[in-house]
Amino acid sequence: MYTLPKIERFNQEVLSKYNIYNSVFITLPFDSIDNTGALLPLFSEICDAGYKKHETPKEILDFFATRYLENASEAEKIDIMFRFIQYIERQVVLFDAIEDAAFSTVHNMEGIGSLRDIKEKSDVKNKQEELIDFLEDFNVRTVLTAHPTQFYPGAVLGIINDLTNAIRVNNLLEIKLLLAQLGKTPFIKDVKPNPFDEAVSLIWYLENVFYETSGEMVHYLQKNIFKGNSIQNPLIKLGFWPGGDRDGNPFVTTQITLNVAERLRTSILKCYYIEIRKLKRKLTFSGVDTLVTELESKLYRSVFYSKGELFISLEQFKAELNTIKDIIIAKHQSLYLDELEALLIKVNLFGFHFASLDIRQNSKIHDAVFSDVVGYYLKTNPAVFPENYFELSEDQKIDVLSNLSADLNPDVFENELTRLTIESIQVIKTIQSRNGEFGANRYIISNNESALNVMETFALFRLSNWQEPTVDIIPLFESVDDLHNAHAIMEKLYLNPAYAKHLENRGNKQTIMLGFSDGTKDGGYLMANWSIYKAKEELTAVSRKYGIKVIFFDGRGGPPARGGGKTHKFYASLGPNIENNEIQITVQGQTISSNFGTLDSCRYNLENLLSAGVTNQVFNKGQNELTVEEKSILDALANIGYEKYLSFKNHPKFIPYLEQMSTLKYYAKTNIGSRPSKRSQSASLDFADLRAIPFVGSWSQLKQNVPGFFGLGTALKKFEDNKEWHKVQDLYNNSLFFKTLLENSMMSLAKSFFPLTAYMKNDPEFGEFWQIIYDEFLETERLLLKIAGHKTLMENYPDGKASIDVRERIVLPLITIQQYALLRINELNKENIPNEELIKVYEKIVTRSLFGNTNASRNSA
């Protein structure tokens, strides 16, 4: 029997099941819901028809109230809006669960990008040895971050998991029970989580998804490509930011960092304990049973009775497992050897740390901290710093910083930020002593602008009596200017004897982080992506020049505007002039639950990332190199797009539009993350302090998705007007990098819906500004369809487009309610005596509407 096309599998396994189970859901009798389930489909139809007739959200909702609510009062309309929001939030959950349940059916788990595909290609191309050499040196590192884009509380995530399992086996009774539970489970949190709460939530994914999936992947490679020989290289590494990411988060304390590291260690030991318990039922033969029982006892005490104490070291654990392995092979015909090998692989991957806890802080904070530190030493020990340190040039300061040595006590500082920053550096040594070096061995400097920023951080380690720190210092380049200067900054560091010695101690490897999110916010979609590509080429060249193996760590969010989209295609497209022996990416919020939330989706996406590296470095080695002419075209496109974006960003209505017409200020009220929504505490909105997540998310809530396309249409049109369209067309046809870039932008356009805000074109203050956005959208859409040869957006990804269409249809009533509430708030604020209580009610509606809309998009923030 032939396999149905992907879109047909989607329609059969996802769309039809959603229609069935949603009809069950909307008929369930909930307290105080009455006929909400019957009214919501009617409201959805009125929304759809209303936008086709160019009606405003207010006209649509007022018409619905007149027809179906029998002259309802404002209070009654507000009540039905809240109830609709509650229903839609749960419809999104239902659709998520159905898609998750159907993942392995809709996606070909053994197709292109899978481990099986890698093996078969290597056999056909006779590249088995080359593949083995590559896999012995390649890593995929997924770093889970605490960025607040996941609106589901833990209880709801649990229901999604159970609902997914019930749908997978079509257990209707269980599904009805879970839908009933879903209807009564709160979606909002009364208080913000602290960083430890965030860590606990994400550790669930480590224990229940990444642990099993990563182990199985490496086990498959070991058996089928390495012919049973052990892979010494930890192919898959996990990183972790909650509890270590201090950038803009005053709630991350030293104790929380220690608590998170302790929780990570306890979690991995618990996973090992559970697996040893299972093995104990099988390894029951002489000479083995007592060893397994002893291991079980030591792990049990380490997990449940330790109070920080370990009853077995990692080295002892590995040694005992290998002793058991030897006995099984020698005396018991290798019985259950496969299961034991599976555990040994996981121990090799995760050690006693599970995931490496990265520490991160902003360079601006470091500047202030270092000023305090220098001031302290000038008063107490003038021999450490010269008296005129603050008057020195950057190069002179770096010379001073290269030769420092001291034993700094954080408690001598009254300034809490200074004390906590120094403690965050010193706590790394404590974590390493408990969890091993990989427990915490990376310090990231966000907003890195100079070599001095790196050397200040390096000096803080050496001032903490740590002359040869077992820590990688990672500069994060984010703005367009910083990306342009990155190679010169790194060359200055490579030439510094003290820093060069540090790199030698670290295996002559330098990790550099590049930020898509703030790059896009700063320079627009085209310029950010092209600047990162060029920076990688320049950084690769300068690193190779000095014998340094550079590793790129990409700070990606969910949507294309923040580096998301078809990520694996991006990595497969990198040419030979970009070092690509490791793929390191941040995974956050919705992307964790949507791309790595189940065993199937986690396996699929991890295998695709691994396959992207193999494709680039083994199967297509030396290919995908951009020619000089192609780079010239990309330069021109990026510069044209950049100028267009800058003029837009500098428009006098840019900030007022976000403040008054979007949901930007409501993100701080959602209680979904521990971090503030902007870096400074000032009352006014400063663009530089604005975080990328609420910035991109606000455009998404408006269904305008500006950061994912603005400037691209103008750039393409310039080539069309100059009769040079063939140049960009050839670039699209020949460059996987450029094609992936444009396809990801198409996703941003596909998730846009301008009829929602079309009423704004008549606004006396913002009408012209709205029109600028809409005109750029239309031009971008026209030219992307032209270059791709498509009639509709995402035509070549019909299942992805179908999923977006269903999700957008589900939330259409929700975004209508949101816009209605924003309109009412503006109306009420213009009254002579604003009704503050009513304004608060509508503000609550706006805040509540963020949840379902963001969750439905899965990668909108």
Side-chain angles (χ1 to χ4, degrees), residues 481-748:
D481 286 343
D482 292 342
L483 289 165
H484 287 171
N485 299 330
H487 67 287
I489 291 170
M490 295 313 301
E491 183 164 33
K492 184 177 283 191
L493 290 167
Y494 294 156
L495 287 168
N496 179 274
Y499 194 76
K501 180 69 165 58
H502 168 68
L503 286 180
E504 187 181 340
N505 293 335
R506 302 299 294 158
N508 279 323
K509 291 184 178 181
Q510 172 67 59
T511 303
I512 298 172
M513 190 172 180
L514 303 164
F516 283 78
S517 302
D518 283 293
T520 304
K521 182 169 76 80
D522 180 49
Y525 182 71
L526 266 177
M527 180 57 86
N529 280 274
W530 181 231
S531 293
I532 288 171
Y533 189 97
K534 288 198 299 181
K536 284 186 174 182
E537 282 201 328
E538 292 165 341
L539 287 165
T540 298
V542 75
S543 299
R544 288 173 178 172
K545 177 181 174 182
Y546 292 99
I548 304 298
K549 182 179 176 182
V550 69
I551 299 161
F552 295 115
F553 177 21
D554 289 325
R556 294 177 175 273
R562 299 185 56 230
K566 303 291 180 184
T567 308
H568 60 282
K569 289 185 70 174
F570 170 84
Y571 286 110
S573 75
L574 300 178
N577 298 325
I578 293 178
E579 209 72 78
N580 194 31
N581 268 20
E582 291 196 27
I583 292 176
Q584 298 192 8
I585 57 170
T586 53
V587 189
Q588 55 194 256
Q590 302 153 300
T591 319
I592 297 172
S593 58
S594 61
N595 288 5
F596 301 93
T598 67
L599 292 170
D600 287 335
S601 63
C602 184
R603 177 192 149 195
Y604 180 84
N605 285 293
L606 279 180
E607 288 190 10
N608 267 273
L609 285 173
L610 184 64
S611 173
V614 173
T615 300
N616 186 266
Q617 297 291 320
V618 179
F619 300 144
N620 296 341
K621 192 170 185 178
Q623 298 180 25
N624 293 319
E625 184 173 1
L626 293 167
T627 66
V628 173
E629 184 181 358
E630 287 172 336
K631 288 182 179 179
S632 175
I633 294 167
L634 278 160
D635 268 331
L637 287 166
N639 285 320
I640 296 163
Y642 184 51
E643 291 302 318
K644 178 70 174 179
Y645 180 77
L646 279 187
S647 68
F648 175 68
K649 192 173 76 171
N650 294 329
H651 193 287
K653 294 301 177 187
F654 185 87
I655 295 295
Y657 183 82
L658 283 173
E659 283 187 305
Q660 297 176 45
M661 308 300 280
S662 84
T663 59
L664 181 66
K665 63 185 178 183
Y666 297 94
Y667 272 83
K669 302 176 181 182
T670 56
N671 289 335
I672 59 164
S674 64
R675 292 201 312 176
S677 58
K678 58 179 184 171
R679 286 185 170 89
S680 77
Q681 301 303 310
S682 61
S684 60
L685 178 60
D686 183 348
F687 185 79
D689 289 330
L690 184 59
R691 289 196 175 280
I693 289 169
F695 174 72
V696 173
S698 297
W699 290 112
S700 173
Q701 294 285 330
L702 284 167
K703 294 298 173 188
Q704 294 176 353
N705 289 321
V706 161
F709 72 85
F710 200 89
L712 176 56
T714 295
L716 291 172
K717 189 174 187 301
K718 187 76 170 178
F719 276 76
E720 185 184 55
D721 291 345
N722 291 344
K723 313 297 183 194
E724 294 182 311
W725 182 258
H726 62 282
K727 292 184 177 180
V728 291
Q729 187 67 64
D730 288 345
L731 183 62
Y732 178 85
N733 293 339
N734 299 326
S735 167
L736 182 59
F737 167 74
F738 187 58
K739 186 175 184 179
T740 303
L741 196 63
L742 298 198
E743 284 185 347
N744 283 341
S745 189
M746 284 188 201
M747 186 188 294
S748 294

Side-chain angles (χ1 to χ4, degrees), residues 315-332:
E315 291 70 26
Q316 289 169 336
F317 188 38
K318 286 183 177 179
E320 289 290 315
L321 288 174
N322 279 305
T323 298
I324 294 169
K325 176 182 173 181
D326 292 340
I327 296 172
I328 289 173
I329 294 171
K331 298 182 178 180
H332 301 290

Side-chain angles (χ1 to χ4, degrees), residues 9-256:
R9 300 200 300 272
F10 174 86
N11 290 336
Q12 192 174 83
E13 296 297 324
V14 179
L15 185 57
S16 62
K17 285 188 177 181
Y18 173 72
N19 290 331
I20 292 167
Y21 293 136
N22 184 49
S23 65
V24 173
F25 176 63
I26 62 176
T27 58
L28 289 175
F30 296 121
D31 295 338
S32 305
I33 295 295
D34 301 327
N35 60 346
T36 309
L39 288 173
L40 181 55
L42 298 172
F43 180 51
S44 185
E45 288 176 12
I46 286 174
C47 290
D48 188 47
Y51 289 120
K52 287 175 181 173
K53 292 187 287 186
H54 310 293
E55 293 176 352
T56 70
K58 190 171 186 306
E59 289 170 338
I60 288 169
L61 205 136
D62 286 343
F63 175 75
F64 170 78
T66 302
R67 171 168 284 192
Y68 293 107
L69 300 183
E70 299 177 1
N71 300 316
S73 65
E74 185 157 24
E76 289 172 324
K77 283 199 280 187
I78 287 170
D79 182 57
I80 196 70
M81 282 189 276
F82 272 119
R83 286 191 272 148
F84 280 164
I85 289 170
Q86 289 175 304
Y87 248 94
I88 294 165
E89 285 172 342
R90 287 153 178 83
Q91 285 179 313
V92 172
V93 167
L94 175 60
F95 191 75
D96 281 350
I98 292 170
E99 273 206 318
D100 287 346
F103 192 93
S104 62
T105 305
V106 174
H107 298 80
N108 185 355
M109 301 293 288
E110 307 297 336
I112 294 173
S114 68
L115 295 187
R116 178 177 172 178
D117 179 53
I118 291 172
K119 182 191 181 306
E120 290 177 352
K121 279 181 180 172
S122 71
D123 292 342
V124 169
K125 295 173 182 282
N126 198 27
K127 294 202 172 188
Q128 297 96 331
E129 293 303 317
E130 197 174 339
L131 176 60
I132 288 172
D133 289 344
F134 173 76
L135 292 174
E136 283 286 19
D137 193 42
F138 181 76
N139 299 115
V140 171
R141 182 190 290 257
T142 51
V143 181
L144 307 191
T145 79
H147 292 353
T149 60
Q150 174 57 269
F151 281 70
Y152 292 139
V156 175
L157 286 171
I159 294 171
I160 293 176
N161 187 61
D162 294 343
L163 191 55
T164 299
N165 293 331
I167 290 169
R168 194 175 281 125
V169 296
N170 290 315
N171 186 335
L172 185 58
L173 181 60
E174 181 71 10
I175 290 167
K176 286 185 72 173
L177 283 171
L178 288 164
L179 289 175
Q181 180 188 353
L182 185 67
K184 292 175 175 290
T185 301
F187 270 53
I188 56 172
K189 300 170 183 173
D190 295 328
V191 294
K192 276 180 174 286
N194 64 43
F196 185 75
D197 297 330
E198 292 172 327
V200 170
S201 295
L202 291 189
I203 287 171
W204 184 92
Y205 291 99
L206 298 182
E207 293 176 343
N208 293 281
V209 184
F210 282 93
Y211 177 77
E212 199 64 42
T213 304
S214 304
E216 286 180 356
M217 285 175 59
V218 177
H219 201 188
Y220 176 92
L221 293 171
Q222 193 164 291
K223 288 170 65 177
N224 295 283
I225 293 175
F226 285 74
K227 309 302 180 188
N229 296 318
S230 296
I231 304 175
Q232 299 307 310
N233 172 43
L235 264 167
I236 297 169
K237 298 178 180 178
L238 302 178
F240 207 72
W241 277 17
D245 181 9
R246 294 167 180 256
D247 181 15
N249 193 339
F251 306 110
V252 177
T253 64
T254 306
Q255 191 57 53
I256 278 181

